[in-house]
Amino acid sequence: MSDPGTSFLFLCRKMYFDGYTPSNKNLYPSENYQTLCNLAQQLIAKRGNEGFALYFCESQYLVDLWAAHFILEYGRPSDIMKTRALYVINKYAQMSIKIKLAQEEKAWLKENGYA
């Protein structure tokens, strides 16, 4: 069995190429999404929010965006950590290149009371 951190990265990559994004509710019932959630929960439990937040440094394959969503959902973020996670999400919500992704993130922010 591979390391959960490596599995998390590779599954983020797969989800990216399959066209899935963290705010796309259509993917929530999928097996890959459930596996990604489980990996995030394991990693947050093992490394804490600060350790898991190191994924904020990796924007390839939306790794930072997945990490931001998972910290807000499964972590117990301090106000500073919450601000860092929301910064990542807002960065994607303002993208002019990936319009669909930006719209999904804007909707998520509004739906969750952050906008």
Side-chain angles (χ1 to χ4, degrees), residues 69-88:
H69 277 274
F70 288 138
I71 280 180
L72 292 173
E73 186 169 345
Y74 299 121
R76 292 190 178 121
S78 65
D79 288 340
I80 292 170
M81 180 60 65
K82 189 180 286 188
T83 299
R84 289 177 60 200
L86 288 170
Y87 174 81
V88 171

Side-chain angles (χ1 to χ4, degrees), residues 5-47:
T6 303
S7 296
F8 179 80
L9 290 171
F10 277 100
L11 194 48
C12 284
R13 179 182 181 271
K14 177 175 178 19
M15 301 288 269
Y16 178 84
F17 284 118
D18 288 347
Y20 293 117
T21 59
S23 294
N24 180 348
K25 292 181 180 179
N26 294 330
L27 96 112
Y28 292 177
S30 78
E31 185 177 333
N32 283 335
Y33 179 76
Q34 295 303 317
T35 300
L36 196 61
C37 289
N38 289 335
L39 288 167
Q41 290 171 333
Q42 287 175 36
L43 291 165
I44 290 170
K46 183 177 179 179
R47 300 177 180 174

